[in-house]
C-alpha cells in the first residue's frame, strides 16, 4: 500500500505557513502543520479539510531536540513519507542594541538558527535514504542585510541562510533540492493591517499575498533538477529595494 506524500510545515502560522500547507494539500499532499500550541492551528486545519485536503496538526517546540525527533518519527511511522519540508518560523523582533538582552538574542537564535538546524536535520534523515525530497527555508530581508534595531533577527536569519547553503551543497548531489526564499516586503496579515495601515492600503498588490508566496514554493518544488534554484527573492511590485 502506497504511503501518503507528506509536506511538513514548521511554523504554520495564519499567513505564509498556512498558505503553503494549503497549497500542497490541494495537490494531494498530506499537510503536517506545527506550532508551539496546537490550539492555534484549529482554523487552518478546518480550512484545509473544508478545501478537501488531508492534514495533521502538532503542537511541538522546534527548539526542543526530543520533541523534534519524536515528531519526525511519528510522521514517518504513522502518517507517510516526508517529501517536502518547509521551515517557516519567523522570530522578527526589534530592539536597539543597547536594549537587546541576552534572553532576547538567545531566544531569537533558538527560534531561527537552532530550530532550523534541528528540524532540517531530521527531515534530511528521512529524505536521504530515499534519495529524494525538497527542503525550503523561509528567509527575510534580514537574511542578507541587517537593519537598525534588528541585530537579533538578522543574526538568526543570516544563520538560517548559511545553514541552507551548507545543506544545499551537501544534499543536492543526493537528489535533495534545498532552497532559500527571501521574502522582501510586508505580507498581507492582520498585524500589518493594524500597525501599517498606509502600507496596507497602498493599492492592489502593494504587499505580498500569502497565497502568491505559497505558489512560489510549489513552483520551486516542481523544478527539474537540471535547473534547480537555490535562492529566490520575492517582493511586491511597489517595494523599494
Amino acid at each position: 500500500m502506497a504511503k501518503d506524500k507528506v509536506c511538513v510545515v514548521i511554523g504554520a502560522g495564519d499567513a505564509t505557513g498556512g498558505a503553503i500547507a494549503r497549497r500542497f494539500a490541494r495537490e494531494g499532499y498530506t499537510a503536517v502543520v506545527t506550532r508551539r500550541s496546537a490550539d492555534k492551528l484549529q482554523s487552518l486545519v478546518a480550512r484545509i479539510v473544508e478545501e478537501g485536503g488531508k492534514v495533521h496538526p502538532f503542537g511541538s517546540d522546534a527548539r526542543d531536540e526530543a520533541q523534534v525527533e519524536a515528531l519526525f518519527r511519528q510522521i514517518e511511522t504513522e502518517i507517510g513519507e516526508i517529501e517536502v519540508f518547509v521551515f517557516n518560523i519567523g522570530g522578527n523582533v526589534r530592539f536597539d542594541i543597547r536594549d537587546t538582552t541576552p534572553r532576547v538574542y538567545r531566544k531569537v537564535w533558538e527560534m531561527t538558527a537552532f530550530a532550523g538546524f534541528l528540524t532540517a536535520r531530521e527531515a534530511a534523515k528521512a529524505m536521504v535514504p530515499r534519495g529524494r525530497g525538497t527542503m525550503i527555508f523561509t528567509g527575510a530581508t534580514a537574511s542578507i542585510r541587517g537593519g537598525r534595531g534588528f541585530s537579533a533577527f538578522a543574526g538568526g536569519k543570516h544563520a538560517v541562510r548559511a545553514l541552507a547553503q551548507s545543506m544545499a551543497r551537501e544534499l543536492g548531489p543526493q537528489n535533495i533540492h534545498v532552497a532559500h526564499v527571501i521574502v522582501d516586503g510586508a505580507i498581507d496579515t492582520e498585524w500589518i493591517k493594524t500597525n501599517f495601515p498606509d502600507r496596507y492600503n497602498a493599492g492592489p498588490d502593494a504587499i505580498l499575498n500569502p497565497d502568491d508566496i505559497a505558489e512560489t514554493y510549489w513552483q520551486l518544488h516542481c523544478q527539474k533538477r537540471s535547473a534547480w534554484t537555490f535562492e529566490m527573492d520575492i517582493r511586491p511590485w511597489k517595494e523599494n529595494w
Side-chain angles (χ1 to χ4, degrees), residues 44-127:
L44 173 60
V45 169
R47 187 167 181 183
I48 290 174
V49 171
E50 183 182 327
E51 293 174 352
K54 297 170 67 176
V55 59
H56 293 266
F58 287 89
S60 177
D61 188 341
R63 303 167 298 175
D64 185 300
E65 183 177 21
Q67 289 189 40
V68 170
E69 290 176 337
L71 169 68
F72 279 81
R73 185 165 56 247
Q74 184 174 354
I75 295 169
E76 285 282 319
T77 57
E78 299 179 12
I79 299 175
E81 296 182 344
I82 300 169
E83 299 286 345
V84 181
F85 162 84
V86 177
F87 183 75
N88 187 63
I89 293 178
N92 190 349
V93 297
R94 184 171 187 172
F95 292 98
D96 286 347
I97 191 64
R98 291 172 296 173
D99 299 322
T100 302
T101 64
R103 180 178 180 275
V104 165
Y105 199 95
R106 184 180 297 111
K107 183 177 180 180
V108 173
W109 176 83
E110 288 177 348
M111 291 170 62
T112 52
F114 190 58
F117 154 70
L118 287 177
T119 54
R121 183 190 66 181
E122 296 308 303
K125 289 179 182 178
M127 292 178 178

Side-chain angles (χ1 to χ4, degrees), residues 43-229:
S43 61
L44 173 60
V45 169
R47 187 167 181 183
I48 290 174
V49 171
E50 183 182 327
E51 293 174 352
K54 297 170 67 176
V55 59
H56 293 266
F58 287 89
S60 177
D61 188 341
R63 303 167 298 175
D64 185 300
E65 183 177 21
Q67 289 189 40
V68 170
E69 290 176 337
L71 169 68
F72 279 81
R73 185 165 56 247
Q74 184 174 354
I75 295 169
E76 285 282 319
T77 57
E78 299 179 12
I79 299 175
E81 296 182 344
I82 300 169
E83 299 286 345
V84 181
F85 162 84
V86 177
F87 183 75
N88 187 63
I89 293 178
N92 190 349
V93 297
R94 184 171 187 172
F95 292 98
D96 286 347
I97 191 64
R98 291 172 296 173
D99 299 322
T100 302
T101 64
R103 180 178 180 275
V104 165
Y105 199 95
R106 184 180 297 111
K107 183 177 180 180
V108 173
W109 176 83
E110 288 177 348
M111 291 170 62
T112 52
F114 190 58
F117 154 70
L118 287 177
T119 54
R121 183 190 66 181
E122 296 308 303
K125 289 179 182 178
M127 292 178 178
V128 169
R130 290 193 286 266
R132 67 179 188 274
T134 299
M135 308 178 74
I136 306 176
F137 295 83
T138 300
T141 310
S143 300
I144 56 174
R145 185 173 66 249
R148 177 179 177 179
F150 292 102
S151 59
F153 184 50
K157 282 299 188 180
H158 271 67
V160 171
R161 184 185 187 220
L163 171 70
Q165 288 174 335
S166 295
M167 291 183 64
R169 289 176 170 87
E170 177 182 344
L171 301 180
Q174 300 181 70
N175 201 36
I176 312 297
H177 183 188
V178 181
H180 180 254
V181 180
I182 298 169
V183 182
D184 183 26
I187 301 173
D188 187 352
T189 63
E190 283 299 318
W191 190 85
I192 292 294
K193 183 178 181 179
T194 300
N195 292 278
F196 300 95
D198 290 343
R199 196 167 191 178
Y200 188 86
N201 297 307
D205 301 323
I207 56 177
L208 286 147
N209 183 322
D211 288 334
D212 294 339
I213 298 174
E215 182 62 31
T216 297
Y217 282 56
W218 172 251
Q219 291 170 3
L220 277 171
H221 172 60
C222 293
Q223 285 184 335
K224 302 298 183 181
R225 64 181 181 177
S226 68
W228 274 347
T229 294

